[in-house]
Amino acid sequence: MNGLIMDAPLTITSILEHGEKVNGSGEIVSVTSDNPRHRYTYREAFARARQLAGSMAGWNLTAGDRIATLAWNDYRHFETYYASACSGYVCHTINPRLFPEQLVYIINHAEDRYIFIDPDFVPLAESLAPECPDVRGWVVLTGEDNMPETSLENALCYETLVAAGSVEFQFPPLDENAACALCYTSGTTGNPKGVLYSHRSTILHAYGTMMPDALGISRRDVVLPIVPMFHVNAWGNPYACPMAGAKLVFPGNKMGDGATLAALINEEKVTLSAGVPTVWLGLLAHLKSSGERIETLRRMVVGGAACPLSIMEEMDAYGVDSCVGWGMTEMSPLGTLNNSSASRDDYTEEEFAKVRLKAGRPIFGVELKIVDDEGVELPWDGESFGSLKVRGPWICSNYFKLEGSDAHEEEGWFETGDVATIDADGYMAITDRTKDVIKSGGEWISSIEVENAATNHPKVAEAAVIGHYHPKWSERPLLIVVRGSDGQDLTAEELLSSLEGKIAKWWIPDAVEFIDELPHTATGKVQKVKLREMYKDFAFPE
Ligand code: AMP
């Protein structure tokens, strides 16, 4: 017997309608290339999204066609998200930091029809256009007054398109399982793969992220997403904020600029922000040199990579509660969130220092398990390491245009490629990527824990550990370090002796190599494949 409840589809159009009716006076503030502080309301944003959609309706597109963006976090990008998804098209966000060959591959693989670009990216678009003949138009996200000179044959002006559409435009009814957004993951090997989100998965994920022990987004919040809208929809913030009625602050192309971030936090009274560790390092460096405070910021979520304890402790001193989050492009992205500070009373200081570094507890909607090499499930004892698998209604079941391939080793579970422990309270800790695991004498060494311990040295800016051939142990850890600005005199001996007592004795690396800069992927992760290649001829001292 079925329940007697209305079958109302979970669509992004319903967020737009709720946003314009219920949260219409909520504010969106943006840094853009043509205005350092653009501000307006959700009501105005969604009216413009309707106008844009009205113009797009004349483009002769069919449902499911891809509309791409190469853009920073700002209000026009936000409008494009809604205009395309609510029209039944798929908003394909492209990471501008990818290599040109990857961009060409992605645009052609996704069969993008139109690409919305920030004026900053016009030169990039000009170089890509000859290789992407099926793109019908490049829409520059600005007004006629600021349209740059361009050799793009089919360049269109965003504001002209908006002005030509009607605010009365009505979006079509949509199936909640229809695709709404597409984001390619940039693996370190092979071609990027597309993760295709649905309206339903996006809404459920947004609900999940809003929960108090997840990101905890309410109408009283002012949210600054420093996570890019081109990488997994800025962790769902552009959907959750209009659902809750929270004010949104978009940093535009200033995501890496500590001074602008501090100014936005203070002027707009930001309460909650999310970003990768690198962003927080930039903000902290600015706060230290300027002596500024960030009084309104209550909580920051750090994800995308392991967070060094030093960042958390420095943020503690500014009165900001830092919470680690873990997820993946394939998971929309949020999987776990570490809200251990909320239950801090239950931990001793020592326990808290350890638990707060973990990736956190799965939010409702995400199921986790860890398995050994034979696929046998491992206990949640905080000690056993295993391959981490996930499932749930916002987790990718297969990649775009690879539907026929065998993406999953085990039916119904997504293999994350991470190695993790889970403790009895459900706190998961990532110890490695499967392919980065170091096996010394048959035993696993967690490169992430060694990296955390090394980065906590005050003279270390960044550290990476790779497994390297050893005649006796088959592999031993090699620590590769970028010295901090006041760490030019740091020696290998000083660094290695600082690790004693912090990690297991046999995890202490056999050698340290100093380097000016670590290689990073387009999403800011250390490229271990490249590091292994760079150090392939290295030999450990006898
Ligand atoms: P992406 O799909 O580019 O967002 O990358 C997802 C991967 O980033 C995960 O599979 C993890 O390996 C890594 N990652 C994300 N968050 C964390 C975290 N809190 N700690 C350690 N690794 C993380």
Side-chain angles (χ1 to χ4, degrees):
M1 181 165 68
N2 289 339
L4 293 169
I5 299 294
M6 290 182 190
D7 188 14
L10 302 175
T11 63
I12 291 172
T13 317
S14 62
I15 306 183
L16 173 142
E17 287 168 353
H18 180 80
E20 55 192 5
K21 284 195 196 121
V22 181
N23 293 321
S25 59
E27 229 187 334
I28 304 183
V29 179
S30 311
V31 175
T32 68
S33 59
D34 48 21
N35 186 344
R37 288 292 185 282
H38 175 275
R39 64 180 70 234
Y40 70 167
T41 62
Y42 281 121
R43 190 171 293 115
E44 291 169 284
F46 292 130
R48 281 168 49 91
R50 285 184 189 274
Q51 288 178 278
L52 174 61
S55 279
M56 287 160 79
W59 284 354
N60 198 19
L61 297 169
T62 30
D65 274 353
R66 268 74 65 202
I67 300 293
T69 60
L70 257 173
W72 300 112
N73 291 14
D74 73 14
Y75 71 103
R76 293 187 179 108
H77 199 177
F78 177 88
E79 292 164 5
T80 309
Y81 263 40
Y82 280 88
S84 45
C86 300
S87 297
Y89 313 134
V90 174
C91 184
H92 171 205
T93 54
I94 308 177
N95 184 341
R97 297 181 183 139
L98 294 172
F99 299 120
E101 311 84 74
Q102 288 176 310
L103 292 171
V104 167
Y105 171 85
I106 286 176
I107 292 168
N108 291 330
H109 187 265
E111 300 170 68
D112 293 330
R113 294 282 176 248
Y114 286 81
I115 307 192
F116 287 58
I117 52 172
D118 260 322
D120 295 11
F121 299 127
V122 166
L124 176 64
E126 287 168 347
S127 70
L128 301 174
E131 312 283 328
C132 306
D134 296 331
V135 174
R136 296 181 198 160
W138 300 80
V139 180
V140 186
L141 291 156
T142 191
E144 289 291 354
D145 292 350
N146 294 303
M147 272 297 275
E149 285 276 317
T150 174
S151 62
L152 285 169
E153 282 169 16
N154 38 5
L156 300 162
C157 169
Y158 182 84
E159 288 299 333
T160 307
L161 286 174
V162 171
S166 162
V167 290
E168 304 296 330
F169 180 80
Q170 293 301 307
F171 290 108
L174 297 171
D175 183 325
E176 65 176 13
N177 289 307
C180 65
L182 176 66
C183 181
Y184 280 71
T185 62
S186 49
T188 38
T189 51
N191 281 324
K193 289 186 281 207
V195 181
L196 190 60
Y197 311 102
S198 69
H199 282 262
R200 176 185 153 83
S201 72
T202 305
I203 299 261
L204 292 176
H205 174 263
Y207 268 131
T209 65
M210 284 162 70
M211 290 192 291
D213 283 344
L215 298 187
I217 300 175
S218 85
R219 190 172 175 222
R220 287 175 298 283
D221 279 305
V222 179
V223 182
L224 171 69
I226 319 180
V227 278
M229 289 173 76
F230 57 71
H231 187 203
V232 223
N233 304 319
W235 299 2
N237 287 180
Y239 305 112
C241 290
M243 278 165 81
K247 172 171 161 181
L248 254 175
V249 181
F250 286 128
N253 64 0
K254 301 286 185 189
M255 286 192 287
D257 174 357
T260 305
L261 297 179
L264 285 172
I265 292 171
N266 287 323
E267 289 163 24
E268 304 304 330
K269 303 194 172 11
V270 170
T271 59
L272 172 68
S273 185
V276 295
T278 328
V279 160
W280 304 118
L281 286 174
L283 176 62
L284 283 167
H286 169 77
L287 295 178
K288 261 188 260 174
S289 65
S290 67
E292 281 172 51
R293 308 281 310 170
I294 38 172
E295 304 289 353
T296 58
L297 190 62
R298 190 172 45 83
R299 233 146 77 86
M300 59 173 237
V301 181
V302 193
C307 180
L309 183 60
S310 53
I311 294 188
M312 296 185 154
E313 290 178 338
E314 286 182 47
M315 281 295 181
D316 287 348
Y318 284 98
V320 182
D321 184 11
S322 34
C323 313
V324 175
W326 165 85
M328 303 180 73
T329 308
E330 288 89 338
M331 299 175 67
S332 300
L334 198 62
T336 62
L337 208 108
N338 191 331
N339 204 25
S340 52
S341 57
S343 48
R344 191 172 181 162
D345 290 347
D346 302 342
Y347 297 108
T348 62
E349 284 292 321
E350 207 177 310
E351 283 168 341
F352 178 63
K354 276 194 191 141
V355 85
R356 71 183 310 199
L357 282 174
K358 297 190 176 194
R361 309 174 72 237
I363 59 174
F364 175 76
V366 176
E367 257 186 276
L368 306 182
K369 72 172 177 178
I370 40 174
V371 300
D372 68 13
D373 289 349
E374 274 74 52
V376 177
E377 193 165 351
L378 295 168
W380 290 25
D381 57 12
E383 301 283 329
S384 314
F385 292 49
S387 302
L388 179 64
K389 296 188 174 195
V390 291
R391 67 177 176 193
W394 57 78
I395 290 161
C396 140
S397 60
N398 221 321
Y399 293 101
F400 183 46
K401 293 206 213 160
L402 288 172
E403 289 90 330
S405 67
D406 190 11
H408 301 302
E409 273 178 22
E410 185 184 352
E411 187 60 32
W413 287 88
F414 178 79
E415 179 98 35
T416 62
D418 287 324
V419 179
T421 62
I422 309 178
D423 72 17
D425 292 327
Y427 281 96
M428 185 272 283
I430 302 279
T431 56
D432 256 307
R433 293 289 296 163
T434 317
K435 53 189 181 310
D436 296 337
V437 156
I438 304 169
K439 262 195 167 169
S440 171
E443 296 293 331
W444 280 356
I445 293 178
S446 161
S447 62
I448 291 189
E449 276 194 46
V450 180
E451 285 159 7
N452 277 339
T455 346
N456 280 334
H457 192 290
K459 292 181 182 171
V460 170
E462 208 179 358
V465 175
I466 52 171
H468 186 74
Y469 172 74
H470 189 283
K472 178 166 177 197
W473 301 105
S474 75
E475 258 185 5
R476 287 293 301 155
L478 168 64
L479 175 59
I480 302 156
V481 169
V482 181
R483 290 185 176 105
S485 51
D486 43 6
Q488 293 318 307
D489 57 345
L490 177 66
T491 62
E493 294 70 37
E494 179 187 344
L495 180 55
L496 291 177
S497 63
S498 78
L499 302 179
E500 283 168 21
K502 306 222 172 75
I503 49 175
K505 201 156 187 272
W506 61 279
W507 286 17
I508 293 184
D510 285 26
V512 182
E513 286 286 293
F514 292 100
I515 190 172
D516 289 339
E517 203 182 336
L518 291 172
H520 290 101
T521 66
T523 52
K525 295 188 211 307
V526 174
Q527 278 181 304
K528 295 230 176 147
V529 173
K530 203 160 194 177
L531 274 182
R532 281 192 281 269
E533 175 61 27
M534 285 163 64
Y535 287 91
K536 68 178 191 311
D537 298 326
F538 176 86
F540 283 116
E542 290 283 318

